[in-house]
Amino acid sequence: MDKLKQSPAWINLEHHAQLVKRYHMRDMFNADPNRAEKYSFSAAGIFLDYSKNLVTQEVLDNLFDLAEQRGVKAKMEAMFSGEKINTTEDRAVLHTALRNFSGKPVMFEGKDVMPDVMDTLKKIKMFTESIHNKTHTGYTGKPIDKVVAIGIGGSFLGPKIVTEALKPYKHKSLDVVFVANVDGCHIADVLADCDAQSTLFVMSSKSFGTQETLQNTLTAKDWFLKQGTSQKDIAKHFVAVSSNVKAAVDFGMDENNVFPMGDWVGGRYSLWSAIGLPISLALGYENFEAILKGAFEMDTHFQEAPLEQNMPVILAMLGVWYRNFVGAQSHALLPYCHYLRGFPAYVQQLDMESNGKSTTLDGRTVDYGTGPIIWGSEGSNGQHSFYQLIHQSNVPVPADFMFPLNTPHHEGELQNLHHQMLASNCFGQTQALMQGKTFKECLDDLSESSLSQEEKERLAAHKTMPGNNPSNTLIFDQVDPSTLGALIAMYEHKVLVQGCIWDLNSFDQWGVELGKVLGNQVLDMIQGELPLDNADSSTQALIKRFTQS
Ligand code: F6P
């Protein structure tokens, strides 16, 4: 594959990046009354307005040429067809098979994976129903009324943000709570509110080797056995989700209580697998399946739509434009929706653990920007926190705004007023970011002031808003299972496209290994299993400060 910066489209884009410095989006909108309509469309229940971007049609054309030249379509087909595109772990990347409702097989190493996928979905459905219809009870015969889902990273974030986002769909008589951090306060707080007779623990770990999850599960088991229960009661109250079934059984899980997942599902792409069991328990299997079907709709769009009408491709290539040609280091996700407040954290792992890398597939060090820093929080809260920077700093912060047209709390005038305010904040902010406020406009505002001309000009300088801050606005009818599935799948595919452009392996995560190894060594030093002098003076001092506290 050609080196990225030698591709013709990249060279053209470097030229356009110089030109675009002279443009202002205000002028683009004034010059083309149809701009909004031209750069808006819908797919899989999501409406995207990407007109408030610092791009001309020529820039867009070159971005799509770049996608073509970098083989985006081929990479997409390789993923969907089970090729081992995770080349450093010799694995396929088949999270799309988990939501494949096409009826067609998905071949991996000569075998159709769909029968196993369907078997696991059936196991999830049956188990969910047994909990909801109270045929699966606790050791004293009480029905299960609380689920404690233990996991971290992709074994936690997906289930957590999905159950949070779809709270209005929650099963009435079952509470699902999450434990992730190894900080003992987390599990202690959760256990304090549990009744051993009616609590089910779902331990999720693809590797079944993650310190936090293993420790939290051991602590939960220790607590459970101190509640007047016995070892034989464990099977009724502990289930596991893992690709390492043997390790789960060796850990003490009943083999019938282990929900398997394929090795070809990456952790941060796994909520569609049995990792989604807490979602099914919290919302009911039908809603879990609706999430899968929404993702499938986005998969179909991604596979079928031409690059220039392809939502994940457009979002990805706009991100490449800002990251590699406009100087952005980060990308903000700003959901104007309380239920989507966890969405930025989910995409943080999805995007940053996938493309936060600097080595190309063939082992060269990149000489261009790659994965952006993903951050954000629910609107309108951010307006009273970090929007100052987005409006007036000298670093570009491209942002995705999200807004549901309808809210589950729509009773009465007051709720309608809330939603009107939410909409007005969302749309008003994207407008302000785009158009800004000129020095002259700020000076005119001060014309009646008694300040001296010098003071007026000084103050006007502080009030000037450059504008030209790019944003995408994503609108959907409501936050329902299908839409959420499509939204998440859209960001998964955006990550695939950007990883393809940057020639990265988006599906391994070697960068997290060293911290784990050194963390275990420090633990041995704290516990006196290893001499401190192996560590640097700072680490030694920190350990001493801890052990002597
Ligand atoms: O952060 C590293 C990582 O492996 C993530 O990719 C993964 O989602 C998380 O840890 C949890 O891993 P596991 O599901 O194997 O416990």
Side-chain angles (χ1 to χ4, degrees):
M1 181 181 292
D2 293 342
K3 279 196 175 181
L4 176 56
K5 294 171 82 169
Q6 293 160 4
S7 53
W10 180 283
I11 294 165
N12 287 343
L13 287 164
E14 284 180 322
H15 168 64
H16 281 286
Q18 295 312 312
L19 294 178
V20 91
K21 282 175 183 167
R22 302 184 218 130
Y23 301 157
H24 200 290
M25 280 191 262
R26 274 201 303 265
D27 304 327
M28 294 178 182
F29 277 98
N30 292 335
D32 180 0
N34 298 320
R35 183 177 177 85
E37 187 183 344
K38 191 188 292 183
Y39 299 127
S40 296
F41 72 112
S42 293
I46 296 168
F47 171 81
L48 167 64
D49 172 1
Y50 62 105
S51 62
K52 294 192 179 95
N53 273 289
L54 192 51
V55 291
T56 60
Q57 189 55 50
E58 292 79 9
V59 168
L60 287 170
D61 292 343
N62 278 290
L63 286 170
F64 297 130
D65 288 348
L66 183 63
E68 191 77 44
Q69 290 163 19
R70 299 297 287 169
V72 161
K73 276 285 188 187
K75 175 73 88 174
M76 174 198 303
E77 279 144 23
M79 178 179 76
F80 277 93
S81 61
E83 281 185 39
K84 292 184 177 180
I85 61 172
N86 176 353
T87 51
T88 61
E89 295 178 303
D90 194 31
R91 287 178 184 164
V93 174
L94 276 173
H95 47 281
T96 49
L98 300 167
R99 68 238 191 173
N100 167 33
F101 290 92
S102 69
K104 296 172 187 165
V106 175
M107 304 307 288
F108 172 60
E109 293 183 332
K111 180 172 176 279
D112 180 10
V113 301
M114 291 314 298
D116 286 348
V117 170
M118 301 315 284
D119 285 350
T120 302
L121 286 176
K122 188 176 174 187
K123 186 176 169 84
I124 293 169
K125 181 176 188 324
M126 290 174 67
F127 185 73
T128 301
E129 287 168 353
S130 72
I131 296 291
H132 287 179
N133 65 25
K134 303 180 174 43
T135 51
H136 179 121
T137 61
Y139 71 98
T140 62
K142 282 180 75 174
I144 300 295
D145 61 11
K146 176 168 281 185
V147 170
V148 177
I150 300 174
I152 199 163
S155 297
F156 153 69
L157 280 166
K160 177 189 178 286
I161 72 107
V162 166
T163 51
E164 188 174 80
L166 297 174
K167 184 182 173 203
Y169 298 81
K170 175 184 168 308
H171 187 81
K172 56 194 177 307
S173 58
L174 188 69
D175 258 346
V176 178
V177 297
F178 294 87
V179 176
N181 200 332
V182 78
D183 178 345
C185 298
H186 197 169
I187 185 111
D189 279 357
V190 167
L191 293 176
D193 290 340
C194 287
D195 171 353
Q197 299 181 70
S198 58
T199 297
L200 172 76
F201 294 91
V202 180
M203 187 267 196
S204 297
S205 176
K206 177 185 174 186
S207 62
F208 215 90
T210 301
Q211 178 200 61
E212 297 94 333
T213 306
L214 292 174
Q215 186 52 48
N216 278 321
T217 304
L218 282 171
T219 300
K221 274 177 76 175
D222 177 70
W223 169 87
F224 181 77
L225 293 172
K226 286 175 178 167
Q227 308 302 309
T229 65
S230 61
Q231 195 64 36
K232 68 176 175 47
D233 301 321
I234 293 276
K236 281 182 169 289
H237 294 267
F238 284 79
V239 298
V241 179
S242 185
S243 65
N244 191 343
V245 175
K246 182 179 178 310
V249 172
D250 292 350
F251 184 83
M253 293 290 177
D254 183 304
E255 185 157 7
N256 296 323
N257 286 357
V258 181
F259 292 76
M261 58 189 285
D263 218 16
W264 35 260
V265 186
R268 53 193 173 274
Y269 298 88
S270 64
L271 76 84
W272 327 97
S273 72
I275 292 289
L277 176 61
I279 299 172
S280 181
L281 290 167
L283 308 177
Y285 179 79
E286 289 65 34
N287 284 319
F288 177 60
E289 188 176 80
I291 296 166
L292 300 180
K293 289 184 172 174
F296 175 64
E297 207 181 332
M298 181 55 76
D299 292 347
T300 306
H301 165 72
F302 181 50
Q303 286 182 286
E304 295 178 355
L307 295 177
E308 64 278 1
Q309 295 159 33
N310 193 307
M311 203 168 279
V313 171
I314 288 169
L315 291 175
M317 297 316 293
L318 287 168
V320 166
W321 170 243
Y322 296 121
R323 185 77 184 87
N324 298 115
F325 299 94
V326 180
Q329 299 281 341
S330 77
H331 189 99
L333 297 178
L334 306 172
Y336 274 68
C337 173
H338 181 61
Y339 287 129
L340 289 177
R341 60 192 179 280
F343 195 70
Y346 178 78
V347 179
Q348 258 182 352
Q349 184 200 11
L350 173 63
D351 197 310
M352 295 172 77
E353 198 168 75
S354 294
N355 290 337
K357 294 161 187 168
S358 51
T359 303
T360 60
L361 287 172
D362 61 1
R364 288 176 292 110
T365 300
V366 297
D367 57 356
Y368 44 79
T370 55
I373 295 163
I374 301 293
W375 62 288
S377 74
E378 63 184 294
S380 59
N381 303 27
Q383 296 168 209
H384 304 273
S385 158
F386 51 77
Y387 277 44
Q388 163 61 45
L389 181 140
I390 303 179
H391 280 290
Q392 282 193 325
S393 81
N394 55 5
V395 286
V397 179
D400 293 349
F401 285 73
M402 296 163 211
F403 180 72
L405 294 174
N406 297 290
T407 166
H409 299 288
H410 47 63
E411 312 83 11
E413 277 183 45
L414 276 180
Q415 275 297 336
N416 284 330
L417 179 56
H418 276 279
H419 210 50
Q420 288 169 351
M421 288 177 172
L422 190 65
S424 60
N425 275 292
C426 180
F427 305 157
Q429 286 296 331
T430 62
Q431 187 185 23
L433 287 168
M434 180 275 289
Q435 72 181 39
K437 188 165 185 175
T438 64
F439 174 78
K440 183 179 181 311
E441 287 165 338
C442 296
L443 198 57
D444 291 349
D445 283 353
L446 295 165
S447 57
E448 300 301 313
S449 156
S450 58
L451 292 172
S452 67
Q453 183 59 23
E454 184 186 359
E455 269 302 292
K456 285 178 186 175
E457 288 177 8
R458 190 176 68 84
L459 196 50
H462 286 272
K463 293 186 169 197
T464 298
M465 314 273 274
N468 243 7
N469 297 298
S471 67
N472 298 306
T473 302
L474 296 153
I475 292 185
F476 25 87
D477 184 50
Q478 59 186 356
V479 180
D480 59 35
S482 173
T483 302
L484 188 59
L487 192 67
I488 293 171
M490 183 180 73
Y491 279 94
E492 288 179 341
H493 297 323
K494 172 191 174 184
V495 165
L496 174 84
V497 173
Q498 291 188 330
C500 177
I501 298 296
W502 293 323
D503 195 23
L504 305 173
N505 179 0
S506 301
F507 306 102
D508 60 15
Q509 51 285 322
W510 300 112
V512 303
E513 293 310 314
L514 179 60
K516 289 179 182 177
V517 168
L518 295 183
N520 287 328
Q521 283 180 13
V522 169
L523 181 60
D524 288 344
M525 291 175 194
I526 288 171
Q527 294 177 342
E529 306 287 321
L530 257 183
L532 264 59
D533 47 25
N534 291 356
D536 60 272
S537 59
S538 164
T539 305
Q540 287 190 40
L542 294 173
I543 291 169
K544 284 176 187 155
R545 184 170 288 275
F546 173 74
T547 52
Q548 290 159 13
S549 63

